Amino acid sequence: MENLLLILLDKFCGAIVSLPLVLIYIFLFDRERAKRKWGWMALLVLYLNAMYIVIGVPGLEYIRWNPNMNLVPFTNLLPSSLVGMALNILMFLPLGFLLPACFERYRRWNRTLVAGFLTSLTVELIQLFTFRATDVDDLIMNTLGTLVGFLLAKLIFRHRSAVYRGKKDWLELVIVNAIVLLTIVFVRYPLMEAILNL
């Protein structure tokens, strides 16, 4: 039980800071979304925190230039790499599901696909500064996972009209991502260390 709590704390520690910041942001600058979509936004923030920790976004003190790249798609199709590809699809499936739930703009498959691609590209570029490998296969599978999540959301939300139409949904998504990433880089690791030392 204690190990499970530590795992959850490890994955969601950044959310202790980023979730209130995002909710304050939407309550101050987008009250209509705050009234109608705050629960979906909270899920998106929790997901982004866990996803960025799983992919290895480092704390400030661990950032270093350590490029390890594969730019040729599908060169290593071993059973172990196929499992990794399936996990990449699963990891980005929630993004494709949550984007149309939070933002009207992403109720179109092509916009959700671009958002998934750009999020995955951000992940792969961040990995140039970590111990992880930057891999074009991950970029493809993550984007595919976003599309699968979108299709699942379309099945669930298809008969519902949008509750709220935001004019700058793309900007709000960028701000939410920035809040989560900056919290992980500058706050999450020291906060986790302080909690573990209690």
Side-chain angles (χ1 to χ4, degrees):
M1 185 66 173
E2 187 177 321
N3 287 340
L4 177 62
L5 288 174
L6 282 175
I7 290 168
L8 288 173
L9 183 61
D10 181 51
K11 300 302 179 240
F12 295 107
C13 184
I16 294 169
V17 175
S18 60
L19 182 57
L21 288 176
V22 168
L23 292 178
I24 289 167
Y25 165 75
I26 63 167
F27 274 95
L28 288 176
F29 297 105
D30 198 352
R31 289 184 183 239
E32 194 64 29
R33 188 184 310 278
K35 285 183 207 169
R36 300 174 186 227
K37 298 280 188 176
W38 71 269
W40 288 111
M41 289 296 284
L43 284 175
L44 179 64
V45 171
L46 291 172
Y47 160 74
L48 289 172
N49 268 278
M51 186 265 294
Y52 285 134
I53 293 302
V54 168
I55 61 97
V57 172
L60 187 60
E61 67 273 19
Y62 301 111
I63 294 175
R64 65 189 181 281
W65 178 250
N66 189 17
N68 178 9
M69 294 183 280
N70 170 32
L71 301 177
V72 182
F74 307 117
T75 56
N76 186 14
L77 291 177
L78 299 171
S80 60
S81 61
L82 294 176
V83 169
M85 288 178 182
L87 290 174
N88 280 332
I89 290 171
L90 285 175
M91 184 169 61
F92 268 68
L93 189 146
L95 181 67
F97 182 86
L98 289 169
L99 287 179
C102 293
F103 304 105
E104 170 64 19
R105 174 181 184 82
Y106 299 109
R107 292 222 169 170
R108 299 174 86 178
W109 73 270
N110 54 341
R111 291 177 176 172
T112 302
L113 196 67
V114 169
F117 173 81
L118 292 175
T119 303
S120 181
L121 183 62
T122 301
V123 165
E124 296 306 314
L125 291 175
I126 287 170
Q127 288 180 341
L128 291 171
F129 298 92
T130 68
F131 60 93
R132 305 284 299 262
T134 297
D135 195 331
V136 70
D137 294 348
D138 293 349
L139 183 62
I140 294 167
M141 293 300 112
N142 293 345
T143 306
L144 179 60
T146 304
L147 182 61
V148 171
F150 172 83
L151 294 173
L152 185 60
K154 197 73 172 164
L155 284 173
I156 293 170
F157 299 125
R158 66 180 167 186
H159 299 301
R160 297 181 192 171
S161 60
V163 176
Y164 170 66
R165 295 174 182 271
K167 292 180 183 169
K168 299 205 175 184
D169 284 350
W170 65 271
L171 181 60
E172 296 226 349
L173 181 59
V174 168
I175 290 169
V176 168
N177 263 297
I179 289 171
V180 171
L181 281 170
L182 290 172
T183 301
I184 290 171
V185 170
F186 291 103
V187 177
R188 184 247 177 204
Y189 288 95
L191 181 61
M192 185 70 186
E193 192 174 317
I195 290 170
L196 290 175
N197 288 331
L198 288 177

